[in-house]
């Protein structure tokens, strides 16, 4: 996984911890060039995902026109899934852009540590996030990982220089703020770059509605009545229940196809 590999890369190198202001032997131009390649690859992946989203959107529209609600719901689910991947890619791209700007401005070992530390955590989080629902996206990022490996190797920073765990806040107090900002920016960009899914077919909205309905009914409900009261087709209600169960949110028990 990306996170595990990054930890391994950060554990490599011969740099000795003798002070953060020692940048001797680090080729900043080469590091910037490699980060630039990473950004170019992320832009390529971003374009591919946007095109895939547009393709599913057109399928969803065609299904709606032919009154194929099941087909429309399936395409909508794919759009939402792809948008999640897009947000992760955009957030990571924002972190790469930040790293490039910071290193260009200061060209010091301290600047590298301060940008690679949140970048390291961002990669680990992205790996965990995408692996849960889009493992193929992790595979498509292999070239990005290879280039990032090169950046880390060029710095020669070993693990005792990069803070571990909660100590990241001590060395880089703005790290979590930078990551939060990158994610917020990615959220806006993703909404601007991809079409909006109608609420009727948006699986995330449907999941929230179904889950709230389940809580209102204290976990026991009639699927038919739920479908009527929520205005959601019965097959979509069932599919939503099993998606929620797969994520460990609820436990589904339908001996008579009535109760959960």
């Amino acid at each position: 996984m990306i996170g595990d590999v990054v930890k391994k890369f950060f554990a490599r190198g011969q740099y000795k911890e003798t002070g953060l202001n020692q940048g001797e032997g680090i080729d900043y131009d080469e590091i910037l060039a490699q980060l630039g390649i990473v950004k170019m690859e992320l832009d390529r992946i971003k374009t591919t995902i946007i095109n895939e989203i547009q393709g599913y959107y057109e399928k969803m529209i065609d299904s709606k026109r032919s009154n194929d609600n099941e087909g429309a719901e399936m395409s909508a689910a794919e759009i939402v899934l792809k948008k999640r991947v897009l947000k992760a890619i955009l957030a990571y791209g924002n972190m790469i852009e930040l790293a490039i700007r910071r290193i260009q401005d200061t060209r010091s070992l301290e600047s590298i540590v301060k940008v690679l530390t949140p970048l390291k955590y961002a990669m680990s989080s992205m790996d965990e996030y995408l692996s849960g629902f889009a493992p193929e996206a992790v595979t498509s990022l292999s070239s990005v990982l290879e280039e990032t490996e090169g950046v880390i190797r060029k710095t020669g920073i070993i693990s005792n220089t990069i803070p571990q765990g909660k100590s990241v806040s001590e060395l880089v107090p703005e790290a979590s703020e930078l990551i939060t900002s990158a994610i917020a920016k990615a959220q806006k960009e993703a909404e601007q770059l991809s079409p909006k899914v109608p609420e009727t077919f948006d699986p995330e909205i449907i999941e929230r509605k179904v889950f709230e309905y389940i809580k209102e009914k204290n976990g026991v409900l009639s699927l038919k009545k739920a479908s009527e009261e929520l205005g959601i087709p019965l097959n979509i209600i069932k599919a939503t229940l099993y998606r929620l169960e797969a994520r460990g949110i609820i436990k589904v028990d339908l001996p008579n196809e009535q109760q959960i």
Side-chain angles (χ1 to χ4, degrees), residues 7-197:
K7 289 178 183 178
K8 179 176 68 176
F9 292 151
F10 269 86
R12 294 176 178 172
Q14 302 300 319
Y15 176 79
K16 302 301 181 180
E17 188 181 14
T18 57
L20 291 178
N21 59 351
Q22 297 186 20
E24 185 178 352
I26 296 179
D27 189 335
Y28 294 102
D29 289 331
E30 187 170 356
I31 290 172
L32 289 169
Q34 287 185 290
L35 287 175
I37 293 173
V38 171
K39 185 62 174 63
M40 288 176 60
E41 181 62 15
L42 285 170
D43 287 342
R44 185 193 65 78
I45 296 173
K46 178 186 74 174
T47 300
T48 299
I49 295 173
I50 291 173
N51 289 338
E52 290 175 349
I53 289 174
Q54 186 61 39
Y56 280 114
Y57 181 75
E58 292 172 0
K59 288 182 180 180
M60 183 186 70
I61 296 300
D62 290 341
S63 295
K64 286 178 63 179
R65 287 171 178 167
S66 59
N67 294 320
D68 179 8
N69 288 336
E70 184 174 356
E73 197 272 339
M74 290 178 62
S75 294
E78 287 293 338
I79 291 173
V80 172
L81 178 67
K82 296 293 183 181
K83 285 180 73 171
R84 289 176 182 172
V85 177
L86 178 61
K87 290 173 188 176
I89 297 299
L90 289 171
Y92 187 56
N94 291 337
M95 296 298 297
I96 292 292
E97 287 182 355
L98 175 63
I100 292 173
R101 290 200 304 270
R102 290 288 179 86
I103 295 173
Q104 284 176 333
D105 291 342
T106 61
R107 289 179 176 259
S108 68
L109 179 58
E110 182 178 3
S111 70
I112 290 180
V113 172
K114 285 190 173 184
V115 294
L116 289 187
T117 298
L119 187 58
K120 170 190 174 184
Y121 283 85
M123 289 185 69
S124 180
S125 298
M126 183 173 67
D127 170 36
E128 182 178 353
Y129 178 67
L130 294 179
S131 296
F133 63 89
E136 72 282 355
V138 177
T139 302
S140 70
L141 289 169
S142 59
S143 61
V144 173
L145 178 58
E146 291 172 3
E147 292 299 332
T148 306
E149 170 190 0
V151 173
I152 297 171
R153 282 180 170 172
K154 291 298 180 184
T155 64
I157 301 173
I158 60 175
S159 57
N160 61 353
T161 302
I162 299 296
Q164 300 296 319
K166 294 183 180 179
S167 63
V168 62
S169 61
E170 299 174 8
L171 180 60
V172 194
E174 72 272 27
S176 61
E177 184 178 327
L178 294 176
I179 294 174
T180 300
S181 176
I183 293 174
K185 182 180 178 182
Q187 176 79 27
K188 291 182 179 180
E189 291 174 331
E191 294 303 325
Q192 293 172 349
L193 293 170
S194 54
K196 184 176 178 60
V197 174

Side-chain angles (χ1 to χ4, degrees), residues 224-256:
K224 183 178 179 181
K225 190 173 181 180
S227 175
E228 293 173 351
E229 293 183 351
L230 292 174
I232 300 173
L234 184 60
N235 63 321
I236 294 180
I237 291 283
K238 289 182 180 179
T240 300
L241 293 177
Y242 287 118
R243 281 203 306 271
L244 292 172
E245 182 180 43
R247 289 160 52 192
I249 297 175
I250 64 172
K251 173 66 176 176
V252 176
D253 181 14
L254 301 174
N256 299 314

